Every structure is written in C-alpha cells, then in structure tokens.
Amino acid sequence: MTMDKTFNAAEAEERLYRAWEEAGAFEAGANARDGAESFSIMIPPPNVTGSLHMGHAFNNTLQDILVRWHRMRGHDTLWQPGQDHAGIATQMVVERQLAEKGKRRTDFSREEFLKKVWAWKTQSGGTIINQLKRLGASCDWSRNAFTMSGAPGAPAGEDGNFHDAVIKVFVEMYHKGQIYRGKRLVNWDPHFETAISDLEVENVEVPGHMWHFKYPLAGGETYTYVERDEDGAVVLEEERDYISIATTRPETMLGDGAVAVSHEDARYAPLVGKLCEIPVGPKAHRRLIPIITDDYPDPDFGSGAVKITGAHDFNDYEVAKRGNIPMYRLMDTRAQMRSDGAPYAEAAARAQEIAEGADFTIEEVDSLNLIPDHLRGLDRFAAREQVVAEITAEGLAMMTRPDDPRLGSAAQKSAAPEEGGEVIVEDLVPLIEAKPLMQPFGDRSKVVIEPMLTDQWFVDTSQIVQPALDAVRTGEVTILPEADRKVYFHWLENIEPWCISRQLWWGHQIPVWYDEDGTQYCATSEAEARALAGDKTLTRDPDVLDTWFSSGLWPIGTLGWPEDTEDLRRYFPTSVLITGFDIIFFWVARMMMMQYAIVGQKPFSHVYVHALVRDEKGKKMSKSLGNVLDPLDLIDEYGADAVRFTLTAMAAMGRDLKLSKDRIAGYRNFTTKLWNAARFAEMNEAVGSTRAIPTPDATVNKWIIGETAKTRVDVDAALENFRFNDAANTLYSFVWGTVCDWYVEFSKPLLMDGDDATKAETQATMAWVIDQCLILLHPIMPFVTEELWGTLADRQKMIVHADWPDYGTQMIDADADREMNWVIALIDQIRSARAQMHVPAGLHVPLLVTDLGPAGRTTFANNEAMIRRLARIEGLTQVDGFPKGCVTVTVEGGSFGLPLAGIIDVDEEKARLEKTLGKLEKELGGLRGRLNNPKFVESAPEDVVEDTRENLALREEEEKKLRAALQRLAELG
RNA sequence: GGGUGAUUAGCUCAGUGGUAGAGCGCUUCGUUCACAUCGAAGAUGUCGGAGGUUCAAAUCCUUCAUCACCCACCA
C-alpha cells in the first residue's frame, strides 16, 4: 500500500468523526481506568440560534484538548454539551420569520407562538452541533442538554429536567427572600418591549445636544442671580425670574417631579423650597414643581440645577427615591408618549396637589398620564422636537444650536445673541443603545434604551455574593489569567440587584400566581399555588426569566439536579470552565453565586478565561466590518487540524489573538510534514503496534528516545498549567525541528546501508517515535493523528483511546545527548561554511582533522555515515597540518578542514572567519567582564559562575583555532 | 473619571533576573529515492522613552508617551 503525499482532510474528517461516534469514544467514562479520578467540563452552551464563529472554534478547541488529553490518560472524563435557549435572540428569529409573512407575535396566542418556536428549535437547533463536530469536538452528544428541556409545551424528544430545576431554584430562592418583585427603574428595550439587564446595554457616545431652558419661578417671583469666579469675584449679577435647567432630553420635562440644586450652591440658595414652573404643556395647566437640594447636582456643571425625572433617568431615580419625589412614567412599552388614562388637565391637576404636598402612592403616580393631549401617542423623539419647538417659540430656550434642523426658524431667532442666546454649543451626549444581539442576526437593534419604571423580579445578589467572592479569594476556585481575578472581584464587590424578569414569551415562565388582590403565590405548579390560594381566581405572572438565570444553573442542571444522581456525584463540582472574558459577569459570576446558593458547592475548580479572536489587523470580527473569518470555511480550506493548531499555538494567556490565513496555511503545512514523516516510516517498514519503549544500541536512537521523553514532560507541564501555546510550540519544534530535520535524516544511512541489527532497531525506534508524536499531538490535531494511527499499523484501540505516556527524563541518556549535540553542531558548522563559500552541493570533499582525540575519533566513527551524508563530505583524514586554501570549522574538542583550494575565494573565507571571530570576541568580552567583576563571583549562584567559566574556556579554545586558521590564510595570501 | 493589559526582527507574536527567540515575509542555493504544503544557508533588534533596584534587567520598581479593552458615566 502506498500512502498519498498529503493528508486528505476533507475526505477523512467526516469518516473519522463517524468512527469515533460509532465506537462511543466520547461517552462519559470512555477509556477510564478503574477507580480513575474524574475530569469534567461543561461546554459554555452556545445559543440555539447560533452558528459556529471563531470564538466558538477557539473556545471549543481548548476544551477538546483538555478533554482528549484527560481521556487518553484514563481519567473518567465527561464533556457535557448543550445549547442555551437564548430568550431574546431566539424569539427574534421566529418573529422575523413571522414578519416575512406579514404576521406579528401578537397575532397568535402565547401557546401557538411557543409551538412555532419549539418547531424552529427542533428543526434548526442542531446546526451548531454539527458544526462543533466538524471542529472535532469530542463531546458526549448522547447527553446533549438544553436549558429549556422539560418546559411545558416542549415537544417529544425535548424532555429533561432543566425546566423543573430552574423552577425549583426560583421557588426556593423566593421563599428564602432572595428573589423579590418590585417597581424599579430598569433598562427597557422599546423594540422587543422587555426589560434587559445592565450587562445587556452598551453605552455609546453620539453627537447630541444639550438644551438650556428657563423654568419660570411661581408667581413671577424674582431673585438676584450672582455668579462668582474661583476667587469669589462677581462675574455676573442679574435679576432673574427663572431658574435655568440643562437637559439632553426635553421630552422628559413632562415628567419632572422637582428641580434639584446642590446644598452648597449659593446661587440658588434663596430658591430652595420654592416652586417653579415646567415651561411646557398647555398654558392653563402648567405644573409647578418644588426646588429641592440634593448631593447629586454638581454646581460646576451646566447651570448647576437639575430637573428630576425619576421614571426616566437612573440618577434622577435615586434622587427621587431619597426626596420622595413622584416619578411620572411618560411612555408606553414601545417608548411612545402615553395615551392611556385620564385627560391631561385632570392628571396635571392631581400632580399639582402632589407637588404642593399631598400624599401619594407609587401606584397612583404611575397611573397618572401627564402627556398633554396633543402629544399623546407620539414617538419620544417626535415629542422631543415638539417640546423644544414649543419652548423655543415662547422664548424660554437659552442656548441652542442655530442650525439644528429640529428647531425650525423660531429656534434660529431665539439663538441670536441679542435675545439672550449666550453660547452656541454642541456637546457629546451619552445615549444608551441596545447591545449587539447574538448570532446570526448579530447587528445591534440600534434602538435607544429607555430607562423605564416597571414591575420586575430581582435577585437580591447581596445575599448570595459572599461565597462566590470567598471561593476565589481562598483559592478554592482559581481564575486564570490572574488579571481576570481582579475583573471578577471588582464586579462582584460592586454588584447590583439582578433583574431576572423579561417581558418575552420564550423562556421559563415565572412560577408566581396572583389573586384578585395582587397577593403572590410562588409555587412549583399551578395546582400547588391553587392549594395555597383557596378558591380565589389566579393569574400567572406572564414574564419569563432572564436566560442567564437558567444558564447559571448549567453545571448542576445538566447533571440531573435536583435528583441526587450518580452523575452529580461523579462529575460535580466540575474540573475546569473554559470561557471568554466577555461573559465573566453574565455567566461565570452568576454560576458561582447560584451554585453556592443552591447546593453550597463550587461549580468548578478552575476557570480559564481566554481572549478574543480578532482579524489580522487586530479588529474585532463583525459582520458590519465584513472581516469575519468563518471557521467552517477555514476548515474546508485547510482542515480542522490546521485551524485547531493555529488557535492553540496563538492562545497565549490573556492576549487577543490576531488570526491570519497565512498562519493557518503554515500549520496546514505542519500536518503535511507530520504526514510525510509517517509516510517515510511506512516506506521503510518502520511501523508497528508494539507499545514497549525500545532499548536500542545506536546512539542516535537512544538520543531520540530521550528527546521524546523531554517533549512528553514539557507537553504535560504546559497542559497542566493551561499553557496551550507552549504545548503546541513544543510539539511543533519537536516534530519538525528534531524528528523530521534530524532524526529522519540520521536514520537514512542506518535504514538503507546499516547492518541488519542496526536497521531493525532503527525501524523499531522510529516506529515508536512516530507513534509518540501522534499520541502527543492527538489532543490538538485529532484527525490526522487518528488517520495515521490507523494507517501505520493494526491497533488494539483507536488513538482517541491510546494510552497517554508517562515516561520522564530518566529516559534521557546524557552521553547520547552530548554526542548527538556534537554531531549536530559539526554538521551545522560544515553546512554553514559550505553555503557561505558557495561550495557546489554536488561536491563531496574529504574532511581533514589535526587534533581530534581518541574520544572524538570514536564519536565521529560512530556517526560517520550520518555526518558524511548530511554534511556532504567524504571520509575523515588525519593530517599533520591543514593545507593552504582550506576552509576551517571549529567545534568543541577539535577543528576540521575542508580542502577546497582553487574552489573557494581566499578573501571570502577570510571575511567569514573574521566575522565569526568578531562575534566570538564580543561574547568573550562579556564573559571576561563578568568574571573579572568580584561582585559577580561573590553574589551570583555558584552554578552560574561555573557555567560562565566553562563557557569562557570553550570560547577561548575556539578563538585560538580561528586565529590559527586566519594565520594560514594570511600565509597563503 | 476608575481599572486592566500592551509596546521585542519588515509583519504577527513567544519569552517574569543569567549569552535576544519562533512563524510568516525577504535574499542566495538546491529537481539525492518522506515531504516543493519541501530542504540548506543568510540578513534584519540601542526589547517604546527616561530614571532606579541588582554582580546581572526585555524581565523587578518609578515615571512619561502611545495604543487597546473593560467598568462607571455630569443633567
């Protein structure tokens, strides 16, 4: 049988993966030794809507390396796969499909809609599984989990415990007082009409505008406004009948409950406790609001006076809570100005009573619609234009931008300096936009988030955060790299209540029922709630839970909790979590809190946080930039092994990796190199399935066994410490640089011209070495190694279950090591000299030697065939002195000459030797300088001093020989 | 505003106290029977600047500069 010249990845990968699956190679516990320790990893569940992107490829390659490594080591290994139901993202996909048919979600009942989502999930949810398989991920697919398995309405085949686990956790935490419902200001997404958490919004700065408006004082009252500079000198003093308010959101003026100034702001001190008028709305019903003090206003910013709109701004919300200021909600769920409730006049009248001190409740205030009738139903941005235009027309706008198209001609007039337009400004105004949603519809919704006062469910994180902090502080859970510990601590130490309710349909519906009076009944089922409620009519809370609430239970939920399962005992707590830095808060921190809160144990022992995959220019890959590299395309082009190896080799801890196709091509070449080394072995019958470590006589064979042992030790140490790139680079240089460049070349004369015994032991050694390469590479490059493993010999087991070696550095033969290093140095020197002297490749010349001692002579003789072949020389000739026109090379213990008179240029040789000498002298200078420094000899460790001395002696010897060679050249010239 | 990281060969990056490295690219040579997705040889660095600690600094400390990211953001 003849092997092809290259590995056909496209053909082999699917076949090999199928073979693994058919053999049950990835099942939990496969290849485990009796009584073996367990090793378990939970996959970060990709969104069920997702398709494999570079981040997944990176993340799962690293997991697969660890999993395959542990499995080969005979550990009881589990890689738990699964998908996340991804509330918003999934609902969005299905809603878009409906939109194409001109339908909306609300055209269907909740049950009908959910049926469609499930149908979509059943049909398309497996996409990412197949893509992970293409990458070679060795998950136990028989256990594939889903964060909504077992939910009501789930079709056949979607059964499981996850829903029950989620509900049980909610109920338990509710009854412990760790979950509560309350009216709070939350980030509201007006497009999806749901609350989202702080983590799901992104602050972006866009050019905006800050308006300054006059709020007239009640009853036409006036005061003296005095502004001073830093030294207290008066810079402005004038009578005013208004207070100036700056805002970026004029439309929210309709909901102002007060104006706040700093306690220390002398300018406004006379006004505190008085009323001012909101300069918007029908003149007959303008509302008056109190001027109060609070710590929040900064006297140096804007006018120093802040309007307080508790229902639509996070800072105002805090002020309003402190000062018992009513919070008037202005918009509906789509962020359009409210059109519900009583007419404006009625609401405004009631608001006026409240402003003047009447008692009120949050609910009552929330029911008041303070939108003037002509603005009702307008989009918030249209309302803003309208409000600005109206105020401006009244002459109450102080500063504005004359060219602002939203303002119209009235604005331009009012901005004229003579009419009190003080300064023309354009500020950067922070807006809050929705974060990018998940794949495949990755573009952000672009909708501007509206802070909205709504009833939501919260986890009181302050009650459950402590164990999550302690675990990392004490080292019970380790986080790598170190820098990410700080990120983790910082967030948890400043944690806010976690809003877990979402106004969606797709998700775990909150297990709380209300009776007519609004009393809550939290229970695991409606029957249970009914039992609590007696004969009252119950309605269930329509909200669903934040996706991260359920994925926070991923470790225990996938292992069968709340049942006390065998799996939990075997695989929990899990060993390692491998994840991207972008979900430390979303997921890692929450899993920590939740697992401790529910089962009182850590979810995992180690967290390895990896960085982002960027494009070759260092840009984040994004659809809008068009710089996305699709891992599946790359796998098609270069093979999964090359893609995996590239990601592994670039996985330096804590640093983003810039991916380029050149790099992948380079590692594809590496698979070809490995393939051809194996092909060479096969052609020379250096193959076999023996597992015993060979015990050869030939030095070169002893040497390569020691090199292999070093490599195994280094690879294990690297993987033990999550230094994936070290593992990859160690293997790369061993396979290419040591095995292919040297050992295979050394073996050729032995295999072709050696005696039978030498040939046989070399075949055996090479077979073993190649097998070791395959085994050690298998976790990183599973496909090509499995293919070669099967091609080279009949095996008892596939390589996926091959025994990971445990031999160590005791296999290094120090004499063999020294000898081969000498041989390699000699060959290097001769090659280098030949190349620089332009000696034709075809010319083999004798190697002359004057001063090689008996030991060197033996070493040379032992390896003569190899040296002759690789350095292209004829035999060794003892001479009394080198003839004229001889190229000289020096190695430890001797100098050699290549008689090339008439072929080489004497001047070139002289230049070459002088260059070598120059480098040598620089080095000698350094060495001598150090040894002449008494402090160095005193302070440096003994072995360092000793090494330096030895090195100096060697270099001095070399220097002598080089000088002699130069001397001969001089005589010649 | 707070925090974290980065700055090393033309490019992308390893390298946490002891003689500056890899891959890619570049130059020269090579059709020897594993591999041209290859081989051999070669050039290229005041390790961001400035101080300091040390016998010894790319590495530790201070400071500055530039870049990146994260968090919180003044109405």
Side-chain angles (χ1 to χ4, degrees):
Chain A
M1 185 202 78
T2 328
M3 287 170 65
D4 290 337
K5 280 190 170 186
T6 57
F7 172 53
N8 185 347
E11 180 278 324
E13 286 174 1
E14 196 191 335
R15 166 169 52 79
L16 291 168
Y17 200 93
R18 205 181 318 117
W20 287 326
E21 284 206 290
E22 281 167 6
F26 305 152
E27 281 168 19
N31 201 41
R33 282 195 284 267
D34 286 345
E37 59 186 278
S38 76
F39 179 83
S40 53
I41 292 192
M42 299 285 155
I43 203 170
N47 288 355
V48 69
T49 56
S51 59
L52 195 77
H53 59 63
M54 235 36 244
H56 291 127
F58 185 33
N59 176 259
N60 287 289
T61 294
L62 299 184
Q63 292 179 77
D64 197 40
I65 289 168
L66 292 184
V67 166
R68 286 179 183 269
W69 177 52
H70 280 276
R71 192 186 290 120
M72 290 169 87
R73 296 207 289 175
H75 297 164
D76 180 0
T77 305
L78 165 66
W79 187 7
Q80 171 68 51
Q83 293 79 41
D84 190 279
H85 69 275
I88 289 186
T90 308
Q91 181 161 322
M92 178 168 76
V93 169
V94 177
E95 284 195 48
R96 285 203 184 179
Q97 288 178 343
L98 292 178
E100 282 168 19
K101 297 178 204 151
K103 300 272 191 183
R104 296 197 55 193
R105 162 172 60 118
T106 45
D107 295 336
F108 303 88
S109 73
R110 184 165 181 150
E111 286 66 34
E112 285 168 342
F113 179 76
L114 287 179
K115 222 170 156 184
K116 290 181 188 299
V117 183
W118 275 112
W120 181 88
K121 190 268 172 189
T122 308
Q123 182 203 321
S124 316
T127 304
I128 196 152
I129 296 177
N130 293 320
Q131 294 173 330
L132 284 167
K133 289 180 177 180
R134 292 225 37 212
L135 187 70
S138 64
C139 305
D140 182 353
W141 296 110
S142 68
R143 293 171 175 250
N144 191 49
F146 183 52
T147 56
M148 255 178 63
S149 69
E158 299 285 0
D159 47 344
N161 68 310
F162 221 99
H163 176 73
D164 290 347
V166 170
I167 295 302
K168 185 176 165 66
V169 166
F170 185 98
V171 173
E172 274 186 17
M173 291 179 77
Y174 176 93
H175 289 301
K176 283 189 202 161
Q178 295 167 339
I179 287 180
Y180 61 89
R181 181 175 148 98
K183 200 180 273 298
R184 298 282 185 282
L185 197 64
V186 296
N187 298 300
W188 187 266
D189 179 331
H191 182 255
F192 291 106
E193 299 178 55
T194 177
I196 54 181
S197 81
D198 296 345
L199 290 174
E200 290 166 294
V201 300
E202 182 181 37
N203 295 320
V204 291
E205 286 203 328
V206 297
H209 186 231
M210 189 155 79
W211 287 268
H212 284 60
F213 297 127
K214 295 175 178 175
Y215 279 43
L217 295 178
E221 204 172 328
T222 63
Y223 68 110
T224 309
Y225 177 88
V226 182
E227 197 159 312
R228 297 171 187 276
D229 65 14
E230 287 167 8
D231 305 322
V234 174
V235 294
L236 177 67
E237 182 170 347
E238 62 179 14
E239 284 294 296
R240 284 187 176 178
D241 59 356
Y242 63 88
I243 184 165
S244 164
I245 303 289
T247 183
T248 54
R249 300 205 53 200
E251 73 279 14
T252 65
M253 288 165 64
L254 296 162
D256 288 352
V259 166
V261 297
S262 168
H263 302 281
E264 285 147 24
D265 198 330
R267 293 173 296 176
Y268 301 119
L271 299 182
V272 173
K274 303 199 167 161
L275 297 174
C276 63
E277 183 184 284
I278 304 173
V280 66
K283 276 243 163 177
H285 300 285
R286 289 273 164 93
R287 283 169 49 218
L288 294 173
I289 51 175
I291 297 167
I292 62 163
T293 58
D294 194 89
D295 290 332
Y296 166 60
D298 174 0
D300 296 327
F301 187 86
S303 68
V306 187
K307 67 191 217 46
I308 301 301
T309 319
H312 289 280
D313 180 280
F314 286 98
N315 289 308
D316 293 4
Y317 176 69
E318 294 302 323
V319 177
K321 272 202 301 189
R322 283 196 287 269
N324 197 30
I325 311 286
M327 306 185 214
Y328 299 111
R329 186 169 53 82
L330 301 173
M331 301 171 204
D332 63 16
T333 56
R334 294 164 78 171
Q336 292 171 348
M337 307 314 278
R338 286 171 66 170
S339 42
D340 62 319
Y344 173 75
E346 206 176 298
R350 175 60 188 149
Q352 195 54 52
E353 289 172 24
I354 291 170
E356 286 164 7
D359 288 338
F360 63 93
T361 63
I362 294 176
E363 282 69 28
E364 186 209 352
V365 161
D366 191 63
S367 72
L368 290 179
N369 180 354
L370 289 176
I371 307 301
D373 300 335
H374 71 289
L375 296 177
R376 292 191 175 191
L378 278 185
D379 178 79
R380 56 190 155 155
F381 300 111
R384 176 181 303 173
E385 278 181 42
Q386 189 63 33
V387 166
V388 170
E390 288 177 17
I391 302 175
T392 307
E394 259 184 70
L396 294 170
M398 296 177 64
M399 280 194 224
T400 191
R401 220 177 67 206
D403 59 343
D404 191 327
R406 290 172 295 191
L407 302 184
S409 54
Q412 293 180 22
K413 262 189 244 155
S414 81
E418 63 271 19
E419 279 185 66
E422 291 155 13
V423 196
I424 292 166
V425 290
E426 177 161 15
D427 299 310
L428 283 180
V429 176
L431 292 180
I432 307 175
E433 273 190 46
K435 260 203 162 171
L437 290 164
M438 300 21 173
Q439 299 278 352
F441 302 98
D443 289 336
R444 66 185 60 186
S445 73
K446 291 284 185 195
V447 65
V448 179
I449 291 300
E450 183 65 41
M452 197 83 88
L453 194 61
T454 52
D455 289 308
Q456 301 292 344
W457 289 93
F458 295 87
V459 171
D460 184 0
T461 43
S462 64
Q463 290 187 47
I464 59 171
V465 71
Q466 201 55 44
L469 281 165
D470 293 342
V472 177
R473 287 213 182 92
T474 61
E476 187 182 345
V477 174
T478 64
I479 297 179
L480 280 177
E482 198 76 12
D484 287 300
R485 280 167 52 103
K486 295 184 186 172
V487 176
Y488 175 87
F489 284 136
H490 183 261
W491 192 70
L492 284 184
E493 283 163 0
N494 299 288
I495 193 159
E496 298 282 330
W498 171 17
C499 177
I500 50 169
S501 45
R502 297 290 182 272
Q503 288 64 48
L504 302 171
W505 283 353
W506 175 243
H508 298 282
Q509 192 170 355
I510 286 172
V512 172
W513 286 259
Y514 306 96
D515 63 22
E516 302 96 320
D517 307 326
T519 308
Q520 298 170 4
Y521 302 92
C522 178
T524 53
S525 68
E526 182 162 358
E528 211 176 288
R530 200 164 292 286
L532 294 170
D535 52 4
K536 292 179 174 159
T537 310
L538 293 184
T539 44
R540 184 167 184 176
D541 193 310
D543 292 355
V544 300
L545 288 164
D546 178 13
T547 292
W548 298 101
F549 186 88
S550 47
S551 43
L553 304 171
W554 190 239
I556 52 173
T558 49
L559 293 174
W561 188 90
E563 304 299 317
D564 176 23
T565 60
E566 166 72 15
D567 282 344
L568 274 169
R569 287 192 293 273
R570 269 166 80 185
Y571 299 120
F572 187 84
T574 66
S575 311
V576 184
L577 177 75
I578 295 192
T579 190
F581 76 94
D582 50 335
I583 55 174
I584 291 177
F585 308 139
F586 276 115
W587 195 47
V588 179
R590 271 122 181 220
M591 276 194 286
M592 289 287 283
M593 289 191 289
M594 297 285 269
Q595 253 63 211
Y596 277 111
I598 306 303
V599 295
Q601 277 181 281
K602 62 184 173 184
F604 27 70
S605 301
H606 305 282
V607 181
Y608 176 84
V609 180
H610 64 249
L612 212 61
V613 182
R614 295 173 178 278
D615 76 0
E616 55 197 319
K617 296 191 189 97
K619 289 234 167 69
K620 209 166 171 172
M621 289 188 188
S622 79
K623 278 194 173 173
S624 48
L625 286 175
N627 60 349
V628 176
L629 283 177
D630 182 341
L632 296 173
D633 291 344
L634 296 174
I635 289 171
D636 288 340
E637 191 171 353
Y638 302 103
D641 292 322
V643 173
R644 291 170 59 114
F645 202 96
T646 307
L647 293 169
T648 310
M650 299 181 78
M653 227 183 268
R655 211 159 136 150
D656 287 348
L657 50 96
K658 293 178 196 164
L659 196 61
S660 75
K661 285 182 139 195
D662 285 348
R663 193 79 186 245
I664 305 171
Y667 290 118
R668 187 271 323 272
N669 296 353
F670 176 63
T671 69
T672 305
K673 192 72 181 173
L674 176 71
W675 180 267
N676 279 286
R679 182 165 175 258
F680 174 83
E682 196 257 0
M683 290 169 69
N684 286 280
E685 294 166 36
V687 290
S689 60
T690 171
R691 288 159 61 190
I693 299 169
T695 50
D697 289 327
T699 310
V700 65
N701 288 330
K702 289 179 179 166
W703 165 77
I704 195 63
I705 288 168
E707 291 295 303
T708 309
K710 279 185 208 167
T711 302
R712 184 250 118 197
V713 170
D714 290 349
V715 168
D716 275 338
L719 292 180
E720 206 75 66
N721 294 296
F722 302 101
R723 299 189 62 95
F724 297 96
N725 56 324
D726 285 355
N729 291 327
T730 298
L731 285 162
Y732 185 94
S733 69
F734 174 66
V735 171
W736 200 316
T738 305
V739 174
C740 292
D741 288 349
W742 290 108
Y743 182 66
V744 168
E745 295 305 324
F746 285 148
S747 77
K748 285 177 181 174
L750 309 184
L751 291 170
M752 288 162 194
D753 311 318
D755 56 55
D756 286 351
T758 305
K759 185 176 172 183
E761 73 157 56
T762 303
Q763 283 172 322
T765 305
M766 179 168 291
W768 179 82
V769 169
I770 296 289
D771 278 0
Q772 300 307 303
C773 291
L774 298 180
I775 291 170
L776 295 173
L777 276 168
H778 181 260
I780 307 179
M781 307 183 100
F783 292 107
V784 68
T785 51
E786 187 71 82
E787 180 71 354
L788 286 170
W789 184 258
T791 303
L792 294 179
D794 291 329
R795 314 283 186 171
Q796 290 180 337
K797 297 197 283 189
M798 287 191 285
I799 201 170
V800 68
H801 286 170
D803 294 333
W804 188 264
D806 61 359
Y807 45 70
T809 46
Q810 77 281 356
M811 281 162 58
I812 297 169
D813 181 323
D815 292 335
D817 207 35
R818 203 174 311 114
E819 183 168 322
M820 293 317 296
N821 283 336
W822 185 86
V823 170
I824 288 170
L826 174 61
I827 293 167
D828 270 342
Q829 292 283 326
I830 297 172
R831 279 175 170 175
S832 180
R834 286 181 61 118
Q836 284 178 60
M837 290 299 98
H838 310 292
V839 179
L843 181 64
H844 290 222
V845 294
L847 188 63
L848 310 181
V849 65
T850 54
D851 55 352
L852 194 60
R857 201 165 279 283
T858 309
T859 300
F860 189 94
N862 282 345
N863 300 285
E864 182 170 351
M866 304 185 313
I867 298 169
R868 283 166 69 155
R869 181 186 172 96
L870 269 61
R872 295 160 183 273
I873 50 142
E874 291 176 357
L876 187 70
T877 310
Q878 175 74 45
V879 292
D880 294 331
F882 292 138
K884 292 181 176 177
C886 190
V887 171
T888 310
V889 297
T890 61
V891 291
E892 190 184 334
S895 62
F896 296 82
L898 301 170
L900 291 163
I903 292 174
I904 57 143
D905 183 313
V906 174
D907 290 334
E908 272 190 43
E909 170 67 350
K910 199 175 155 201
R912 183 182 75 89
L913 291 176
E914 273 169 353
K915 193 177 165 194
T916 312
L917 190 63
K919 277 188 191 165
L920 196 57
E921 274 171 350
K922 202 177 151 196
E923 214 176 314
L924 279 168
L927 293 169
R928 287 189 183 121
R930 257 188 282 166
L931 286 167
N932 289 338
N933 182 345
K935 284 187 179 170
F936 171 72
V937 183
E938 275 169 35
S939 324
E942 235 174 82
D943 54 329
V944 172
V945 177
E946 194 48 40
D947 283 352
T948 310
R949 284 215 175 91
E950 277 175 26
N951 206 0
L952 179 65
L954 285 173
R955 298 293 162 182
E956 279 176 337
E957 190 197 348
E958 251 180 72
E959 186 198 19
K960 226 166 77 185
K961 286 172 180 163
L962 273 173
R963 288 197 185 285
L966 272 167
Q967 181 63 33
R968 279 195 307 279
L969 279 177
E971 285 163 11
L972 190 70

